[in-house]
Amino acid sequence: MKPLLYTLLFTILIFCSCSKIDHWLDEKSRLNDVRPTTLKDFQAILDSDNLFNTGSTYPALGQIGADNHYVTESFYNILSREEREAYIWHKDYQVDIITSDWEMGYRRIGRTNIVLDGLKTIERTNINKESYDSIKGTALFYRAFFYFSLAQIYCKVYDSNTAHEDLGLILRDNSNLNELPQRSTIEQTYLWIIEDLTEAIELLPTVTVFQTHPNKTSATGFLAKVYLNMERYDLAYQYAGMALAQYNSLLDFNNTALILPGNAFPFPGFNKNPEILLWMGARNYLQIFPGLGYGYVDTGLYNEYHDNDLRKTLFYREVTERDAIFKGSYYVDGNNSFNFAGIATNEIYLIGAEAACRLGNVSTALDNLNTLLVH
């Protein structure tokens, strides 16, 4: 009798323990570990400024290897290995090391895929269609933006003759981490970007309240930039014109109510610059930190500015008779400044001008440039 009683008690004890374990496993590790399921949840993911807008968000490694600045030998020696090798285009650059540019890009692509996967579980109705379309369009836009940003660093320049065989990016169309997609070609990468942007333009609202949210104009202007990189000048010209037809305001550099020449960062801060279509900040490396970096502006470039050109004093600060540093970022947040990574009308004017010139339409190119220069 006693062995049977002990067995019964032991069975009850195990059952209760298992029930408690199941209950414990079902509990969330943190109160904010909530699986997004509603449109409000997905909008909240895309509204995260730390993910999609604030400084150090967008890849900027390519700027280090650009030829519009230089560093002295003494400054070069104190830079990180990553910056030194990118600066001199080292042929054995440590591509096997996952840099923060690579990681931050794919982390944000992962967030957009979570949103796009989640939207598939929600029915689009007449009641929610405006919110649904805006969320989907925003996720598609950000995914395209990050893929394009990464392609500028980790892929060859787009060449229509070799794009079908040159290696592109790893493209993910869902949030399933168990899937291991293969590396695409550059042609596939750019087609993906174009498809995402084209759909985003149809879905995004015409106007948004804040400069941190993409709309039809910013997406259209960005698509013009993508086509310019592909040397599709006809389409770059077309989409630049479409964007400027929707919004074409420029910042007047003579407007001292908005611009403070004596400030360390002279341009207006968040939501006050009429040129900005979408406000984003890039990662700040030591040599390209606005106003504080170790990189000097290329002297040939700096000397191209006429003395009465306001850009010469607003974009740059002379530190010696020979050297100047860049301070003129459009990303200004209080007393801080990061490199601007967003979309602004001044760039759209330049895209339209270059595309027009490449197509032989010199008068239109000059009109765009003169409109920009008069401001």
Side-chain angles (χ1 to χ4, degrees), residues 215-230:
N215 55 30
K216 288 186 185 296
T217 306
S218 55
T220 302
F222 184 62
L223 185 52
K225 183 174 183 175
V226 173
Y227 279 126
L228 184 72
N229 274 49
M230 298 174 69

Side-chain angles (χ1 to χ4, degrees), residues 156-198:
K156 291 182 178 180
V157 173
Y158 185 92
D159 182 341
S160 59
N161 296 314
T162 60
H164 65 283
E165 58 185 11
D166 289 336
L167 289 176
L169 296 173
I170 298 169
L171 301 175
R172 303 191 67 96
D173 63 354
N174 61 65
S175 56
N176 184 0
L177 297 180
N178 293 317
E179 290 189 11
L180 299 175
Q182 300 299 309
R183 193 169 177 183
S184 68
T185 64
I186 287 183
E187 183 176 58
Q188 291 169 330
T189 295
Y190 275 80
L191 284 176
W192 184 300
I193 293 167
I194 291 169
E195 288 175 3
D196 274 1
L197 284 176
T198 302

Side-chain angles (χ1 to χ4, degrees), residues 91-123:
K91 67 182 181 68
D92 294 323
Y93 181 76
Q94 298 296 310
V95 293
D96 58 320
I97 297 174
I98 299 179
T99 66
S100 57
D101 276 5
W102 177 272
E103 186 273 338
M104 72 172 59
Y106 275 100
R107 178 191 296 181
R108 286 152 179 81
I109 289 168
R111 298 298 192 278
T112 64
N113 281 332
I114 288 173
V115 172
L116 292 169
D117 281 351
L119 289 176
K120 296 174 184 177
T121 66
I122 299 176
E123 181 183 2

Side-chain angles (χ1 to χ4, degrees), residues 43-55:
Q43 184 66 65
I45 292 174
L46 299 174
D47 284 344
S48 174
D49 290 345
N50 289 332
L51 279 175
F52 297 108
N53 300 104
T54 55

Side-chain angles (χ1 to χ4, degrees), residues 72-273:
T72 63
E73 184 176 359
S74 58
F75 283 152
Y76 175 82
N77 289 330
I78 66 173
L79 297 174
S80 67
R81 176 179 177 177
E82 181 183 15
E83 287 190 72
R84 292 198 308 270
E85 292 189 349
Y87 177 71
I88 64 173
W89 289 59
H90 197 290
K91 67 182 181 68
D92 294 323
Y93 181 76
Q94 298 296 310
V95 293
D96 58 320
I97 297 174
I98 299 179
T99 66
S100 57
D101 276 5
W102 177 272
E103 186 273 338
M104 72 172 59
Y106 275 100
R107 178 191 296 181
R108 286 152 179 81
I109 289 168
R111 298 298 192 278
T112 64
N113 281 332
I114 288 173
V115 172
L116 292 169
D117 281 351
L119 289 176
K120 296 174 184 177
T121 66
I122 299 176
E123 181 183 2
R124 181 181 181 273
T125 67
N126 288 330
I127 296 175
N128 71 11
K129 63 181 181 181
E130 185 176 333
S131 175
Y132 187 102
D133 290 350
S134 177
I135 292 170
K136 185 175 182 180
T138 300
L140 289 168
F141 172 86
Y142 280 134
R143 187 168 72 176
F145 199 102
F146 276 108
Y147 275 138
F148 180 80
S149 300
L150 291 171
Q152 307 318 296
I153 299 173
Y154 299 104
C155 300
K156 291 182 178 180
V157 173
Y158 185 92
D159 182 341
S160 59
N161 296 314
T162 60
H164 65 283
E165 58 185 11
D166 289 336
L167 289 176
L169 296 173
I170 298 169
L171 301 175
R172 303 191 67 96
D173 63 354
N174 61 65
S175 56
N176 184 0
L177 297 180
N178 293 317
E179 290 189 11
L180 299 175
Q182 300 299 309
R183 193 169 177 183
S184 68
T185 64
I186 287 183
E187 183 176 58
Q188 291 169 330
T189 295
Y190 275 80
L191 284 176
W192 184 300
I193 293 167
I194 291 169
E195 288 175 3
D196 274 1
L197 284 176
T198 302
E199 187 175 0
I201 291 171
E202 296 298 319
L203 295 170
L204 286 168
T206 303
V207 178
T208 47
V209 177
F210 299 107
Q211 291 175 329
T212 50
H213 295 165
N215 55 30
K216 288 186 185 296
T217 306
S218 55
T220 302
F222 184 62
L223 185 52
K225 183 174 183 175
V226 173
Y227 279 126
L228 184 72
N229 274 49
M230 298 174 69
E231 298 184 347
R232 290 299 307 273
Y233 301 118
D234 53 338
L235 292 172
Y237 178 74
Q238 175 186 332
Y239 280 96
M242 289 169 59
L244 293 175
Q246 296 166 12
Y247 184 84
N248 58 16
S249 293
L250 286 168
L251 178 64
D252 187 349
F253 282 17
N254 291 287
N255 186 347
T256 54
L258 289 176
I259 295 176
L260 304 174
N263 279 20
F265 307 113
F267 290 105
F270 169 65
N271 230 32
K272 296 178 182 178
N273 187 336

Side-chain angles (χ1 to χ4, degrees), residues 27-34:
E27 289 293 322
K28 295 178 173 59
S29 60
R30 294 191 305 258
L31 291 177
N32 63 350
D33 279 349
V34 179

